[in-house]
Amino acid sequence: MDKLILLLDRTAVLFIGVAVGAVIGLAFLGGGDSGEAVASAPAPVVAAAETDISEAAPMECAAQFNRSLTNALAEGDPVHIGVFGDSFGDGLWAALYRGFRGEDDFVVHQYARQSTGFTRYRSLNIFDDMAERLDEQQIDIAVLSFGANDTQGIYTDGAGAAFMSEDWQNIVGERIDAIVQLLRDRGSIVYWMGMPKMRREAFDSQIQQQNAFYAARMRQLGVPFIDTVSLTVDEDGQYAAYLPHPESGERTLARANDGIHMTGQGYGFLTRDLEQRIRGYVDSARAEAMRESERRSAGNESATAGQAEG
């Protein structure tokens, strides 16, 4: 039993928090005990998860315009963006917050929680936590980023599932499906941010297995999957701590010292395309809201004219 506990401690890898607005230092912590992880070597990814991530990139939201969003825009209310995830999601929130800062049309909410994941429901049930957040605040656009803490097995209902085994994918897949459905039931559209290239080869292999699994799942659900690997590699497709700035092309430090997280500017590189997509989506939804308002006005005028003639 002591050996098993020791092995569990060595395999439960957690992330600690990110200081918003600062360059992130070491944020990789070993030796945690999730209470739900099981000791196991990574198993081969099943065929369903071997999808090329790039296949999901061009897809836009399944629901063209959410009714609650068009109603909010018609009333002149701001668009509420909620960022859910782990410590990596915290960095994405900071970047989106900076991107939309000073614009009255957007409010960006920080809902990421450190050391959380789909394999760690005994520490924090993401579904329940998200439902509580949504009870407090209507979210029009939800940005999700999970996976950094999930390179481990799951122990649930008295049985263990090895990382990336068929049982693991079934459990995690069901949890993902439930969360996406929860968000949609509450009137949110959803974007999923994939994880970037990692410096340590073994860890990167696990992360890319998850990326492929999540990309395939998002395609099934009609959720846009934002690939970030292509944004975090050099010309040879290798991990790069310094990346060209999207605007100036200047060589810029984009990765934290741990080889996992990004710097403040680095997170901005990842959210740049997402920010543009959100703006485009909201502009189109605003135009649709205006068309609906015009159609209602025209209908009311026709009805009034009909009553006058009668």
Side-chain angles (χ1 to χ4, degrees):
M1 179 61 70
D2 291 339
K3 292 182 178 180
L4 176 59
I5 293 174
L6 177 61
L7 189 56
L8 281 168
D9 285 342
R10 289 179 178 175
T11 55
V13 180
L14 309 180
F15 285 95
I16 62 176
V18 178
V20 176
V23 175
I24 305 166
L26 286 174
F28 192 56
L29 178 65
D33 185 0
S34 70
E36 196 167 9
V38 295
S40 59
V45 185
V46 298
E50 293 176 350
T51 304
D52 184 355
I53 297 174
S54 63
E55 293 179 5
M59 186 182 64
E60 198 45 79
C61 298
Q64 185 61 26
F65 300 115
N66 188 282
R67 176 61 62 180
S68 65
L69 176 59
T70 54
N71 288 342
L73 292 172
E75 295 295 327
D77 296 332
V79 175
H80 290 271
I81 303 171
V83 183
F84 301 86
D86 47 33
S87 61
F88 200 88
D90 199 29
L92 295 173
W93 163 79
L96 285 173
Y97 177 83
R98 288 192 298 270
F100 289 105
R101 182 171 51 193
E103 300 182 42
D104 295 336
D105 290 342
F106 296 93
V107 179
V108 185
H109 300 270
Q110 199 277 69
Y111 294 139
R113 287 182 173 267
Q114 304 163 14
S115 302
T116 58
F118 291 108
T119 62
R120 298 181 49 76
Y121 267 33
R122 290 189 179 183
S123 298
L124 178 73
N125 186 305
I126 297 173
F127 181 94
D128 292 344
D129 180 68
M130 193 173 294
E132 183 177 342
R133 303 284 185 164
L134 295 173
D135 286 341
E136 299 171 352
Q137 174 63 56
Q138 165 66 34
I139 295 298
D140 302 304
I141 298 174
V143 178
L144 275 60
S145 176
F146 290 96
N149 299 310
D150 287 328
T151 59
Q152 58 185 336
I154 301 174
Y155 187 82
T156 183
D157 296 331
F163 172 68
M164 274 298 158
S165 65
E166 184 174 358
D167 287 342
W168 187 98
Q169 293 187 48
N170 287 337
I171 294 169
V172 173
E174 289 174 359
R175 292 176 177 181
I176 291 172
D177 293 353
I179 281 177
V180 171
Q181 189 59 52
L182 169 67
L183 287 164
R184 285 174 169 167
D185 289 344
R186 298 297 186 90
S188 305
I189 63 168
V190 184
Y191 290 92
W192 185 286
M193 292 288 292
M195 296 293 291
K197 183 78 172 176
M198 300 296 173
R199 182 172 60 198
R200 188 163 60 88
E201 184 175 347
F203 185 59
D204 183 61
S205 176
Q206 294 174 317
I207 290 297
Q208 301 318 322
Q209 288 182 69
Q210 286 192 89
N211 271 341
F213 170 67
Y214 293 140
R217 201 80 184 191
M218 293 307 110
R219 287 187 67 82
Q220 294 174 6
L221 296 171
V223 171
F225 178 92
I226 311 300
D227 170 37
T228 63
V229 173
S230 61
L231 304 176
T232 55
V233 295
D234 60 20
E235 295 178 353
D236 297 322
Q238 300 301 310
Y239 173 92
Y242 286 82
L243 298 168
H245 193 284
E247 294 180 359
S248 66
E250 182 180 356
R251 188 169 178 265
T252 305
L253 180 62
R255 302 304 295 262
N257 292 334
D258 59 8
I260 299 167
H261 292 89
M262 312 292 293
T263 64
Q265 279 194 308
Y267 280 113
F269 295 173
L270 301 190
T271 58
R272 183 180 175 86
D273 176 65
L274 175 61
E275 183 182 328
Q276 293 174 351
R277 292 175 72 165
I278 289 175
R279 291 182 189 281
Y281 181 85
V282 170
D283 287 344
S284 297
R286 182 178 287 108
E288 177 62 20
M290 292 179 62
R291 286 192 292 268
E292 289 183 0
S293 178
E294 291 171 356
R295 286 193 292 268
R296 285 195 297 269
S297 296
N300 292 336
E301 291 177 0
S302 296
T304 300
Q307 292 173 358
E309 292 177 359

